[in-house]
Amino acid sequence: MPADDRHRDERSSHHRAGAVEHDELVARLSQRVVHKRRQVADAHRRLTRLSSELASLEKRLADRQKLLKRRADAAFNWLKPCPWDRRLKQATDAFGISSFRPLQPHALNATLMARDVFAILPTGAGKSLIYQLAAVVDAGLTLVVSPLLSLSMDQRAALRGYHIRAECLHSEITKQQQKAIYSHFIPSDAFAASSKHPRKKWSREQPWCPDDVEPLVLFVTPEQVARSKRLLSRLEILYENGHLSRICIDEAHCCSSWGHDFRHDYRKLAILRRQCPSTPILALTATCDPNTVEDVCNVLEMKHPVIFRGSIDRPNLFYEVRQKADTDKVVIQDIASWLKTEFKGQCGIIYVLSRKEAHTYATQLAQLGTDTDCYHSDMDITHRNAVHRQWSDNKLQVVVATIAFGLGIDHPHVRFIIHATIATSLEAYYQESGRAGRDGLPAKCIVLQKPKDFARMSAFVADKGQSRIRKLYAMYEYACSRGLHSRHLCRRQLIAKAFGDTAPNRTQEQLATCCDLCAARCGAVESSVVSIDVSYIARDLLSMIELYVEQYPDKKTTILKFATDWGKNSKSKAQRSKSDRSSMAKLVDVNTRVEILVQLVLSGALQETHRHSSYSMQAYVTTNDVQAALRRRSIDVTLWKKDAERLLAAKSYLKTERSDEGMEKLPGDDKELSMVDMLMKKHDDSEVVVIDDSDESIIDGSGTNFLEHSGDSGNRSPRVDCQLDIAPNKGKKRKRNDLER
Ligand SMILES: Nc1ncnc2c1ncn2[C@@H]1O[C@H](COP(=O)(O)OP(=O)(O)OP(=O)(O)O)[C@@H](O)[C@H]1O
């Protein structure tokens, strides 16, 4: 072999050996990489698991610590002697307060101890007095964030009456006025620079501010806090120098989107806590359920707040629901006649849903000879203030208003509040009706209810989320007295339940002044509603809707359309004569049908869906748990007594008209349907359960919470096949044969 070839061979075998070695090395390295990757992935998985375990442990620890702190707060004696007692006594004397109302001194001492405090006290309980007295005891500046200018102005006037300097900083004052407020209340240097008083905690022997610093109260709107850098920087200077005594957040429920009065700028108030971390926060509201309380505390970044929850019960208020006429004209006539008789010479508020309604109602009521004016947010501020002032001075009997006339209305002698349309939630209703009877004397809170308002209200709140729909349903259950068969159904209890509270038990005599349902139960008045079994109509309506949804899954129909079209063009396949249903339809008015459908929505047999049409939100109805409803032995709904009587008369009429031979037995016919029996229908209340889940860490005076639920009887009864009575679009009429099964 030539030398060249040998060299080449040697080189190539050397090369091959090198390549094999290289390959082995690469393979080994790849293996190690795979191994390491696996190890990293494992470690990563472990780390993720451990992190989530750590997070859950941390949350449990925080929850536990929170609970322990709240328990300690609950056990703490808030009324023990405190260093500021003498000063407080001087202040109460100056204010002319002879005794405190429930939980006022507790909240007052807690905030003076520099604790964050959340006081949830009923409407008219005197929440403002807590910060007013605290402002006098602590001196320096008390900042009050209040949602309404009119409310702030009233409070300012009250404080000035006690010779306390108070101001409202808002966008409608002149530059000069603003300058004066800044230089006196929140100066950039002045007394701030001269102060050598660091903040002291609750064990302090002296007030935070030196004695020569006068108490000042500054009212601001949440919008101002969110937008004014100048305000924040000045507050920071005051804080640094120990002159910012307290931050009060009035109507604190506005912080939470779960509350009924959410305001975006309230969510930005945490900036105050971040800029002034050790200034105590005092949050005040009348309406907050336990979830909303937690949300508000988080939004405001309150540190281990002491929560004082008073019983929300207002014993002097009588809650009542009256039937609302079908047209506005008759509703207005009804109200006018009440104003001239039942409420003659008494001061009150009529709440309506829209600005247009406020105007119409007020004008027509005035034409009918009543002393009425309107109040809504479209009116200019001067006109609004004039109406408010006239009413407060008893120069005007009634204000017809939208909810713009609500927060902060503090007229002591309001004798009645009429809601011409149901409120959007029980919380909102409590707040609005709470304007009545603030002098402690009896007052009436009346809701006018008609079933057609339900869909309107549902479309109205749908934009604000599902939780608002649930709250509206609770309000409607209140208004339609659903669950009337329960011995415990009481409007006061339903309101208390919305706040996770219970209303105190009442003696037999007190029942007459509790609510219309309790008054009827104890025989003081005649009941205006009855709970009756409407299965023979409800099953028919449900089957019709079920069939409709099956045949037109993409079409949307409203409750009103189903109610109106029920019985039209009826042709029976299930041996039900056509005339049978149409006769029934003639005898059962549309309002009653709507009421039955609405209560089927509330019971879960049907459900609402909401869609935007070209102009507004629309509420449609579709099936949900129809089969469960069809299986029930009876389908009970609460109806106005007159409607129930008409319904039963219709049924008796049909029974006598029908020959028994060859006729299908209507479901529910096996029961005796004598009118008296139906109207006096007695139900046991075994489904009412009492669950004691009271949170002992919240300081309150009320007892246990209770939940009420009703169960399905589970009794099977056959589904009623029926003919589809309606077509989705009247314009494009489908062939009836297409619709028949
Ligand atoms: N301890 C008290 N003794 C006598 N009057 C009081 C006492 N506390 C408060 N008041 C008066 O009760 C009225 C209602 O008080 P306030 O406006 O503070 O109620 P509120 O709890 O803020 O109600 P709302 O939540 O409805 O605004 C006021 O006129 C106030 O002066």
Side-chain angles (χ1 to χ4, degrees):
M1 185 187 288
D4 272 1
D5 289 350
R6 220 178 32 246
H7 274 299
R8 206 177 304 124
D9 272 359
E10 267 172 24
R11 257 205 319 271
S12 79
S13 71
H14 190 75
H15 227 88
R16 265 199 307 277
V20 168
E21 214 171 277
H22 212 75
D23 285 350
E24 277 172 6
L25 188 66
V26 167
R28 267 206 313 279
L29 279 174
S30 310
Q31 260 179 9
R32 280 182 63 192
V33 167
V34 170
H35 181 67
K36 283 286 169 202
R37 274 211 181 117
R38 220 172 276 144
Q39 279 184 330
V40 169
D42 282 351
H44 203 268
R45 264 196 299 276
R46 256 206 339 269
L47 182 67
T48 316
R49 203 187 62 235
L50 286 173
S51 305
S52 82
E53 274 175 24
L54 178 67
S56 99
L57 273 175
E58 277 172 349
K59 187 173 177 313
R60 275 179 58 194
L61 177 69
D63 287 349
R64 194 77 213 157
Q65 280 173 336
K66 200 184 323 177
L67 187 72
L68 287 177
K69 283 225 180 237
R70 288 198 179 164
R71 283 207 178 135
D73 287 342
F76 189 80
N77 176 14
W78 296 103
L79 301 181
K80 69 179 199 163
C82 294
W84 47 84
D85 280 352
R86 206 166 55 86
R87 212 172 156 126
L88 188 57
K89 175 83 179 65
Q90 286 166 356
T92 48
D93 287 348
F95 277 52
I97 300 291
S98 52
S99 62
F100 280 122
R101 290 183 180 163
L103 293 178
Q104 268 182 338
H106 304 69
L108 195 48
N109 277 341
T111 190
L112 289 171
M113 287 173 191
R115 291 286 306 269
D116 282 351
V117 173
F118 199 153
I120 308 145
L121 302 179
T123 48
K127 291 180 283 294
S128 323
L129 191 75
I130 301 171
Y131 69 73
Q132 288 170 351
L133 289 175
V136 177
V137 172
D138 267 347
L141 186 86
T142 296
L143 183 78
V144 183
V145 182
S146 174
L148 282 184
L149 194 54
S150 57
L151 170 58
S152 310
M153 284 180 167
D154 283 353
Q155 296 290 347
R156 180 184 67 179
L159 283 164
R160 284 182 177 176
Y162 301 128
H163 307 291
I164 296 165
R165 294 192 72 153
E167 268 304 346
C168 303
L169 189 60
H170 55 87
S171 49
E172 280 162 37
I173 52 174
T174 61
K175 283 224 159 99
Q176 222 141 25
Q177 286 169 318
Q178 231 183 65
K179 204 169 153 201
I181 293 173
Y182 269 105
S183 66
H184 192 86
F185 281 67
I186 31 180
S188 55
D189 44 15
F191 63 77
S194 68
S195 169
K196 296 277 177 296
H197 291 266
R199 303 189 64 71
K200 291 178 189 163
K201 282 291 169 188
W202 74 275
S203 58
R204 70 191 195 276
E205 293 299 319
Q206 297 160 358
W208 286 331
C209 295
D211 278 343
D212 56 348
V213 172
E214 63 173 329
L216 300 169
V217 182
L218 181 64
F219 294 92
V220 292
T221 57
E223 292 76 20
Q224 206 105 34
V225 177
R227 280 165 222 161
S228 171
K229 283 191 183 139
R230 185 177 174 203
L231 173 67
L232 287 177
S233 65
R234 292 291 184 89
L235 285 174
E236 206 171 358
I237 296 171
L238 277 195
Y239 169 74
E240 295 295 340
N241 291 283
H243 283 296
L244 181 61
S245 296
R246 187 159 290 96
I247 296 168
C248 299
I249 315 288
D250 204 5
E251 311 293 352
H253 62 276
C254 298
C255 292
S256 171
S257 49
W258 298 336
H260 59 91
D261 233 342
F262 173 56
R263 304 258 300 242
H264 268 287
D265 285 319
Y266 260 84
R267 277 198 106 76
K268 298 179 187 155
L269 293 181
I271 185 85
L272 292 171
R273 168 43 42 97
R274 279 174 228 143
Q275 290 213 335
C276 316
S278 57
T279 302
I281 291 181
L282 171 61
L284 302 161
T285 182
T287 48
C288 243
D289 63 26
N291 289 336
T292 314
V293 170
E294 287 306 318
D295 195 33
V296 172
C297 292
N298 290 337
V299 168
L300 295 177
E301 299 183 11
M302 293 171 86
K303 289 182 225 152
H304 300 300
V306 198
I307 300 171
F308 295 100
R309 184 188 278 284
S311 165
I312 63 138
D313 192 47
R314 298 274 313 272
N316 59 323
L317 300 188
F318 181 80
Y319 295 96
E320 188 184 349
V321 177
R322 295 185 186 175
Q323 185 166 17
K324 181 175 171 181
D326 220 19
T327 62
D328 274 353
K329 192 174 169 214
V330 183
V331 176
I332 293 168
Q333 281 167 358
D334 285 346
I335 296 177
S337 83
W338 299 333
L339 296 186
K340 289 180 195 163
T341 52
E342 191 178 349
F343 303 120
K344 191 168 181 221
Q346 295 182 358
C347 169
I349 307 173
I350 298 166
Y351 279 111
V352 290
L353 191 62
S354 65
R355 288 171 278 216
K356 192 170 161 230
E357 273 180 351
H359 193 73
T360 314
Y361 272 55
T363 314
Q364 293 188 19
L365 281 170
Q367 281 164 3
L368 290 169
T370 60
D371 186 15
T372 319
D373 208 337
C374 68
Y375 185 107
H376 57 75
S377 54
D378 249 7
M379 289 160 57
D380 73 74
I381 182 100
T382 332
H383 188 185
R384 261 189 287 165
N385 287 344
V387 172
H388 185 186
R389 189 59 50 218
Q390 276 185 319
W391 178 76
S392 302
D393 296 344
N394 295 322
K395 289 181 186 143
L396 182 70
Q397 186 195 1
V398 179
V399 177
V400 182
T402 59
I403 52 167
F405 192 68
L407 292 177
I409 300 299
D410 185 26
H411 187 323
H413 310 304
V414 177
R415 295 274 69 85
F416 65 91
I417 306 275
I418 298 174
H419 274 76
T421 309
I422 55 168
T424 51
S425 69
L426 276 169
E427 289 92 328
Y429 182 62
Y430 176 73
Q431 184 97 35
E432 286 150 27
S433 61
R435 307 289 141 218
R438 289 157 85 86
D439 53 6
L441 296 175
K444 277 190 178 176
C445 304
I446 300 167
V447 174
L448 303 187
Q449 195 268 109
K450 75 170 177 194
K452 282 181 192 163
D453 279 348
F454 174 82
R456 185 178 173 218
M457 293 302 289
S458 165
F460 181 73
V461 301
D463 258 346
K464 295 164 188 158
Q466 268 306 311
S467 66
R468 301 300 293 268
I469 298 271
R470 278 195 296 278
K471 283 175 188 269
L472 175 71
Y473 286 5
M475 179 66 216
Y476 196 79
E477 294 208 356
Y478 169 94
C480 75
S481 321
R482 197 168 160 266
L484 188 70
H485 56 271
S486 161
R487 194 157 53 81
H488 294 282
L489 192 78
C490 158
R491 300 205 198 274
R492 199 177 284 279
Q493 286 292 6
L494 287 175
I495 294 175
K497 196 174 129 188
F499 295 99
D501 195 6
T502 46
N505 287 334
R506 283 181 157 66
T507 61
Q508 199 65 17
E509 296 81 62
Q510 286 170 336
L511 284 181
T513 56
C514 178
C515 71
D516 52 350
L517 300 179
C518 291
R521 206 172 289 123
C522 74
V525 296
E526 204 189 324
S527 173
S528 53
V529 283
V530 285
S531 173
I532 68 164
D533 176 9
V534 293
S535 40
Y536 51 101
I537 293 172
R539 285 175 215 277
D540 203 39
L541 282 164
L542 283 173
S543 302
M544 172 185 76
I545 297 172
E546 209 181 23
L547 189 59
Y548 178 86
V549 172
E550 248 172 63
Q551 292 195 350
Y552 305 104
D554 300 329
K555 299 279 185 233
K556 300 271 166 249
T557 301
T558 61
I559 283 187
L560 193 59
K561 173 125 176 86
F562 277 126
T564 319
D565 287 357
W566 180 68
K568 276 188 194 166
N569 310 318
S570 174
K571 222 189 234 178
S572 178
K573 194 172 122 190
Q575 291 86 45
R576 176 92 57 88
S577 82
K578 174 182 173 179
S579 64
D580 209 20
R581 193 186 300 143
S582 8
S583 322
M584 180 78 92
K586 267 186 215 133
L587 294 163
V588 180
D589 70 337
V590 175
N591 272 333
T592 308
R593 295 180 219 165
V594 174
E595 185 68 77
I596 293 172
L597 285 170
V598 169
Q599 295 196 35
L600 287 170
V601 171
L602 297 178
S603 71
L606 298 174
Q607 67 176 342
E608 282 192 301
T609 55
H610 299 91
R611 291 271 168 87
H612 260 295
S613 69
S614 333
Y615 299 106
S616 59
M617 184 68 96
Q618 284 286 334
Y620 301 102
V621 72
T622 185
T623 51
N624 187 29
D625 202 358
V626 171
Q627 290 308 316
L630 291 174
R631 280 199 301 272
R632 295 176 93 135
R633 193 157 40 93
S634 66
I635 300 176
D636 296 336
V637 299
T638 305
L639 295 177
W640 295 107
K641 209 166 180 176
K642 271 192 222 138
D643 293 339
E645 279 170 0
R646 247 200 320 267
L647 200 75
L648 293 168
K651 183 136 197 255
S652 322
Y653 167 78
L654 286 175
K655 274 181 113 181
T656 50
E657 283 289 297
R658 273 183 292 161
S659 80
D660 282 337
E661 242 177 279
M663 257 341 247
E664 181 213 19
K665 209 174 174 196
L666 288 174
D669 275 2
D670 42 350
K671 289 185 185 175
E672 196 40 64
L673 282 167
S674 105
M675 186 170 324
V676 175
D677 281 358
M678 285 300 249
L679 295 180
M680 301 299 292
K681 197 165 181 225
K682 291 269 192 294
H683 297 254
D684 66 24
D685 56 337
S686 51
E687 76 265 35
V688 176
V689 285
V690 177
I691 299 173
D692 183 354
D693 62 352
S694 57
D695 183 352
E696 58 188 84
S697 63
I698 291 184
I699 302 156
D700 67 1
S702 58
T704 56
N705 302 328
F706 87 96
L707 292 172
E708 196 177 340
H709 69 82
S710 60
D712 190 333
S713 67
N715 289 322
R716 289 186 161 263
S717 91
R719 173 184 161 166
V720 183
D721 277 336
C722 78
Q723 203 53 51
L724 185 60
D725 290 342
I726 61 171
N729 189 339
K730 275 193 174 173
K732 294 180 198 163
K733 240 185 187 169
R734 296 184 61 124
K735 285 182 193 161
R736 285 215 55 84
N737 284 349
D738 291 347
L739 310 177
E740 282 167 11
R741 276 181 167 189

